Amino acid sequence: MPLADKVYHSLHARIVNGEYPANEKLPAEMQLAEEFGVSRPVLRTALEKLREEGMVVSRQGAGSFVRANVSPAPLGFSKVETLADIQRCYEFRINLETEAAALAAERRNAELLGEIEKALDLLRAATGSLQHREDADFMFHGSIARASNNQYFEATFRALRDHVNVGMKLHGESLMNDGRKGLEEVLAEHTRIYEAIRAQDPERARAEMRIHLEHSRDRLFGGGLLDLSLR
């Protein structure tokens, strides 16, 4: 896929998922070019395609802005209503995020590795204060999805925000019952995922993400998963 198309798809995903809201100015061309690791002419080709599709509009001397009539496009996931829904969400995340982590290990750049590390630092600080921060947890996993350089992983994870947050909140509450031990165990799991991505070891990143998500699920459910067999 040409570089301009990759940049176009990433920017398109960010717009439709609300990362760049309607009427908001996009980051400066130089900043975006550095983030995507492309030249400014390549970036401008991607922006031109977005303008042609009516996603962004250029304002003389001010830059590019998201058009007012562009709104986030939901993927249609129903609300979490039962424990079975939470278990299903974990099943989906285990399949989704293990592959995202492997791709992130192969493809991440310095900036996105820094985002993952920043989220890890927030989790480390919260653990030191005997707290669990769902926002930092979501930031950690979301940054890995972005580092996969595949807009489908990123868009799907963002669409699952409410569902993931329900599980993270309940998981955090279960961790507090174990005090420091539980929090430090989860921090160690996140750290191993980060280290595998930093080392550009996709197999280890995939395995560590699976271990983390399975442990999170099992801590929440106490090892007693629901039987979801169709009868």
Side-chain angles (χ1 to χ4, degrees), residues 68-90:
N69 61 347
V70 175
S71 58
L75 294 186
F77 294 114
S78 59
K79 291 182 179 180
V80 172
E81 296 180 344
T82 66
L83 285 174
D85 290 339
I86 295 174
Q87 182 173 315
R88 291 186 181 99
C89 186
Y90 268 107

Side-chain angles (χ1 to χ4, degrees), residues 6-7 9-15 17-20 24 26-27 31-37 96-97 99-119 137-159 161 197 209:
K6 291 181 179 179
V7 175
H9 284 300
S10 293
L11 291 174
H12 188 283
R14 295 181 189 183
I15 291 171
N17 286 296
E19 183 173 344
Y20 299 146
E24 181 174 300
L26 295 180
Q31 179 181 336
L32 287 173
E34 290 178 356
E35 176 181 348
F36 290 112
L96 177 78
E97 294 190 63
E99 293 309 308
L103 290 173
E106 294 178 347
R107 301 172 178 175
R108 93 295 187 276
N109 59 16
E111 180 176 356
L112 285 169
L113 185 65
E115 282 190 18
I116 301 169
E117 184 176 13
K118 179 180 178 181
D137 202 351
F138 190 89
M139 176 182 173
F140 180 87
H141 289 268
S143 296
I144 290 173
R146 287 185 61 191
S148 73
N149 194 28
N150 184 319
Q151 72 271 21
Y152 295 103
F153 284 112
E154 181 181 356
T156 302
F157 190 74
R158 287 185 176 279
R161 174 184 288 274
I197 293 174
M209 180 63 81

Side-chain angles (χ1 to χ4, degrees), residues 37-64:
V38 299
S39 66
R40 292 179 74 174
V42 168
L43 175 68
R44 287 168 182 162
T45 299
L47 290 174
E48 180 60 30
K49 188 171 182 179
L50 290 171
R51 281 193 290 270
E52 290 174 355
E53 294 184 353
M55 300 291 289
V56 302
V57 60
S58 295
R59 298 178 185 172
Q60 188 69 30
S64 297

Side-chain angles (χ1 to χ4, degrees), residues 80 86 90 93 131-135 137-138 161-177 183 216 219-220:
V80 172
I86 295 174
Y90 268 107
R93 288 184 62 195
Q131 296 177 334
H132 180 262
R133 287 188 55 175
E134 290 85 16
D135 59 337
D137 202 351
F138 190 89
R161 174 184 288 274
D162 292 343
H163 305 69
V164 171
N165 281 343
V166 170
M168 284 182 172
K169 180 175 177 58
L170 293 175
H171 177 237
E173 291 173 357
S174 70
L175 285 176
M176 299 309 294
N177 294 329
L183 289 168
S216 296
R219 280 187 291 261
L220 176 56

